Amino acid sequence: MPADMVVAAIVGAAGLAPTLAAVRAGRAVALANKESLVCAGKLVMSEAERCGATILPVDSEHNALFQVFETANAAQVEKVILTASGGPFRTWSKADIADATPEAALRHPNWEMGARITIDSASMMNKGFELIEAFHLFPLEADQLEVLVHPQSTVHGLVQYCDGSLLAQLGAPDMRTPIAHCMAWPRRIEVATRRLDLADLGTLTFERPDPDRFPALTLARSALQTGRGAPVLLNAGDEIAVAAFLERRIRFADIVTVVERTIEVAERAGELAEPDSLDATLALDALGRRYAREAVAAVGGENRAMAGGRR
Ligand SMILES: NC(=O)C1=CN([C@@H]2O[C@H](COP(=O)(O)OP(=O)(O)OC[C@H]3O[C@@H](n4cnc5c(N)ncnc54)[C@H](OP(=O)(O)O)[C@@H]3O)[C@@H](O)[C@H]2O)C=CC1
Ligand SMILES: CC(=O)[C@@H](O)[C@H](O)COP(=O)(O)O
Ligand SMILES: [Mn+2]
């Protein structure tokens, strides 16, 4: 079907095949489906180059970076910073987070989004996916990517240059702005979002993420560093684990355990090779889902045994 632009906004690895089809048709692709880049970043970006497709990042942090990243000065970029709201559990203790309910996890402080990404924000796995997404979108090494918790979700992304300049994009937490930026690019169109009044806001705060309470971020960074098939398994494990958590079959803390076990089992079976095609990526995704379902069953059993032992 003829189209000037395709908005890729299906959730999950299910969005990969249609995103890749739009890329291969040489369209402008406004990309919300971060899983396409998590699972097949190299393939999607190289096919975009080959087919003349333009990828426009919709994800708010990546859209922010897209606005302030000077491609001509890419070699002068020291690092980029993705901000994270910290989610609903930013101030919770580790013990309380472990047993948080789906209702609590679905209460995002700043953004109204689908269930899967909202749970990922609560665990900060979303920010881990976003590190991988940024790695593929921008010419950067993994160690140039940083995450800062910024509870107001007003500054969305920052680029630090070698002359000490730190360029940031700010805006109300409203996806209409990044969507409009992509749809009008390289021009701008008027959007009736709330305008920021910095004097009213008064203070913007930033914190380092806490790896002890939010281990998903470390796990995602390690999948980025491992590379090859690890990010595919990271996503597959997380899709299954989040669904199981929403169905109350595992605890909130078990989400990361399931993802960790998914990657470990695949690694032990020698199945971490880089998938070099759509079919190979989807096959590894299917395998990861199988391992993740097994991990959910095992973790659920362990939880029941522990509860039985406490009675
Ligand atoms: N919401 C947000 O603010 C942001 C979202 N994103 C990303 O955008 C994507 C969508 O998120 P969000 O809108 O919140 O999610 P939602 O759950 O609200 O919407 C997901 C959409 O995907 C469709 N879908 C799911 N599976 C399939 C499938 N197999 N085939 C066709 N369509 C399918 C659903 O269709 P149906 O309703 O028919 O089931 C639904 O329209 C995710 O990748 C997310 O990470 C990124 C940044 C911000
Ligand atoms: C709107 C958007 O881009 C989301 O990805 C958002 O960033 C999620 O919030 P967290 O910062 O809590 O992950
Ligand atoms: Mn985002």
Side-chain angles (χ1 to χ4, degrees):
M1 188 190 289
D4 296 325
M5 170 174 282
V6 175
V7 180
I10 290 176
V11 62
L16 172 59
T19 300
L20 200 54
V23 164
R24 286 179 169 155
R27 306 293 180 225
V29 180
L31 186 63
N33 175 254
K34 62 190 79 187
E35 295 88 346
S36 289
L37 293 179
V38 171
C39 296
K42 255 192 218 167
L43 179 65
V44 170
M45 296 309 287
S46 64
E47 286 296 85
E49 172 94 40
R50 186 178 71 82
C51 303
T54 306
I55 306 236
L56 301 161
V58 170
D59 204 347
S60 61
E61 300 76 5
H62 307 74
N63 183 266
L65 296 176
F66 183 58
Q67 294 194 41
V68 292
F69 193 102
E70 296 171 4
T71 309
N73 289 318
Q76 281 69 49
V77 170
E78 285 180 348
K79 66 175 178 183
V80 308
I81 301 170
L82 303 168
T83 56
S85 72
F89 305 145
R90 182 177 63 87
T91 58
W92 287 32
S93 71
K94 190 175 176 177
D96 286 346
I97 294 173
D99 285 314
T101 61
E103 290 74 16
L106 285 169
R107 233 173 278 132
H108 195 281
N110 302 334
W111 300 96
E112 206 175 303
M113 309 181 288
R116 197 279 175 111
I117 185 176
T118 305
I119 300 301
D120 285 341
S121 289
S123 66
M124 292 194 70
M125 183 65 89
N126 181 49
K127 219 44 60 178
F129 289 147
E130 292 185 350
L131 286 175
I132 302 172
E133 185 183 7
F135 176 77
H136 290 294
L137 284 169
F138 301 98
L140 294 164
E141 300 300 325
D143 63 6
Q144 290 176 288
L145 295 162
E146 200 172 295
V147 170
L148 264 189
V149 174
H150 166 51
Q152 297 83 21
S153 297
T154 298
V155 180
H156 303 296
L158 307 96
V159 179
Q160 181 176 299
Y161 292 90
C162 64
D163 59 5
S165 298
L166 186 59
L167 267 58
Q169 187 264 353
L170 285 75
D174 185 328
M175 283 306 293
R176 285 176 295 175
T177 295
I179 292 168
H181 179 259
C182 290
M183 296 192 89
W185 186 85
R187 291 175 292 279
R188 292 202 182 248
I189 48 174
E190 197 176 322
V191 185
T193 54
R194 175 171 65 80
R195 300 313 193 236
L196 291 181
D197 183 324
L198 294 179
D200 261 2
L201 279 171
T203 308
L204 296 175
T205 59
F206 300 89
E207 304 158 15
R208 284 183 225 296
D210 177 351
D212 187 41
R213 290 182 304 130
F214 297 98
L217 193 52
T218 310
L219 184 59
R221 194 180 273 284
S222 141
L224 169 60
Q225 263 140 5
T226 302
R228 295 174 287 144
V232 181
L233 297 157
L234 180 84
N235 176 69
D238 185 71
E239 284 198 38
I240 296 296
V242 167
F245 166 70
L246 288 171
E247 290 162 10
R248 297 174 205 276
R249 289 188 285 127
I250 58 172
R251 298 172 316 142
F252 187 77
D254 298 331
I255 295 175
V256 171
T257 308
V258 167
V259 180
E260 229 162 25
R261 288 190 191 179
T262 302
I263 300 173
E264 275 166 18
V265 171
E267 191 164 21
R268 275 203 303 276
E271 280 150 347
L272 267 197
E274 171 102 44
D276 56 359
S277 65
L278 175 61
D279 285 350
T281 308
L282 296 180
L284 186 59
D285 172 67
L287 189 70
R289 283 165 198 271
R290 175 152 72 78
Y291 291 154
R293 281 189 202 100
E294 288 165 7
V296 164
V299 164
E302 287 158 20
N303 289 345
R304 283 191 294 280
M306 292 250 292
R310 277 200 298 269
R311 254 188 245 126

